[in-house]
Amino acid sequence: MKPFVLLATRDNNVLADEEYRAVAHFGGLEEDQLERIRLESGEWPALDLDRYSGIIVGGSPFNSSDPPEEKSRAQRVAETWISALLDDVVARDFPFLGACYGVGTLGIHQGAKVDRSCHEDVGPITVSVTDEGARDPLLVQLPREFSAYVGHKEGTRVLPPNAVLLATGTACHVQMYRIKNNLYATQFHPELDPEGLVSRVRAYKDLGYFRPEDTDTVIDRVVNGPAVDQAPRILRAFVERYRR
């Protein structure tokens, strides 16, 4: 099969490798079936879409909606590269799944309103599948409500005008949408299990997602919260639908 490619932007090597392994694991992919491009490191190759089955965009400490002057050079260059790639991806309706940071990059490219009014605390939330979502191939096998992990400073306040809302939440209403037939974005993280999220909590405790002194409380909310075993099925469904 043609490989999938993970576009990553985490400058922490441990977290970057954990994210790669999680996407491969929950997507049911072997190492040679999932390539990775670490955009934060300055790897901005020309991407020949015909070589791939699909694109997956992971989460990031970057915030798409921050003013340009507050973004690092690495973020500005990475977002310029992703935006140019999305021109081609959207035009071709090429299989794309963006998680968390991916929802901002695809959304802003397609006219969404993304800002900090839709932030969510780190931990599990309840995701509700819409009627359109219940008919979508990536969600059709999932229950109408399931738990998923979130943790973000920004979110989608207004959907792109051409998007179909597939799943909603409470604090952040837009949790998943589709553009055209094959372009997907989730606010939650379908690649995370409790161990993966706890690792990120410890690594990012000083980045403003929560007060550093609340780290143990956040970890307890993750470890002792509801089971998050349905959201990862979205990754597998994406891979199974588009592998070729």
Side-chain angles (χ1 to χ4, degrees), residues 100-238:
C100 198
Y101 180 60
V103 82
T105 54
L106 178 63
I108 288 175
H109 185 273
Q110 291 295 290
K113 302 298 183 184
V114 178
D115 58 32
R116 295 199 177 213
S117 67
C118 301
H119 71 277
E120 289 182 291
D121 293 335
V122 176
I125 64 162
T126 298
V127 174
S128 300
V129 177
T130 66
D131 290 342
E132 287 284 355
R135 294 188 287 269
D136 187 89
L138 298 198
L139 293 169
V140 68
Q141 299 298 327
L142 270 65
R144 293 297 293 261
E145 288 193 346
F146 59 89
S147 296
Y149 288 129
V150 298
H152 53 98
K153 301 174 186 177
E154 65 179 7
T156 305
R157 180 166 53 86
V158 179
L159 274 173
N162 55 342
V164 176
L165 184 63
L166 302 178
T168 64
T170 302
C172 182
H173 181 67
V174 177
Q175 287 294 327
M176 183 173 180
Y177 60 81
R178 185 188 70 242
I179 291 174
K180 294 189 171 181
N181 293 315
N182 303 312
L183 311 174
Y184 292 89
T186 68
Q187 185 62 72
F188 56 88
H189 288 271
E191 83 287 0
L192 276 181
D193 57 14
E195 293 77 15
L197 183 51
V198 167
S199 182
R200 292 185 193 177
V201 166
R202 290 183 172 134
Y204 290 155
K205 64 183 178 64
D206 296 314
L207 294 189
Y209 292 96
F210 51 86
R211 299 184 308 169
E213 59 267 32
D214 292 336
T215 299
D216 289 342
T217 300
V218 174
I219 290 174
D220 181 72
R221 185 162 65 234
V222 173
V223 172
N224 296 309
V228 176
D229 53 9
Q230 297 298 311
R233 295 174 64 190
I234 294 171
L235 261 176
R236 180 63 69 94
F238 180 78

Side-chain angles (χ1 to χ4, degrees), residues 34-71:
L34 181 64
E35 295 183 8
R36 176 175 62 172
I37 298 174
R38 293 187 61 178
L39 296 175
E40 90 292 340
S41 68
E43 296 180 23
W44 310 306
L47 209 62
D48 180 3
L49 296 182
D50 291 329
R51 287 190 57 239
Y52 298 101
S53 290
I55 295 172
I56 299 169
V57 177
S60 176
F62 294 163
N63 291 295
S64 301
S65 64
D66 284 350
E69 63 272 14
E70 295 181 11
K71 296 179 179 179

Side-chain angles (χ1 to χ4, degrees), residues 19-31 34 235-236:
E19 179 180 64
Y20 174 85
R21 288 192 296 269
V23 170
H25 171 69
F26 288 116
L29 294 166
E30 301 296 332
E31 186 173 329
L34 181 64
L235 261 176
R236 180 63 69 94

Side-chain angles (χ1 to χ4, degrees), residues 5-24:
V5 60
L6 172 64
L7 304 184
T9 54
R10 299 187 187 278
D11 59 5
N12 181 305
N13 288 332
V14 172
L15 295 186
D17 289 345
E18 288 178 352
E19 179 180 64
Y20 174 85
R21 288 192 296 269
V23 170

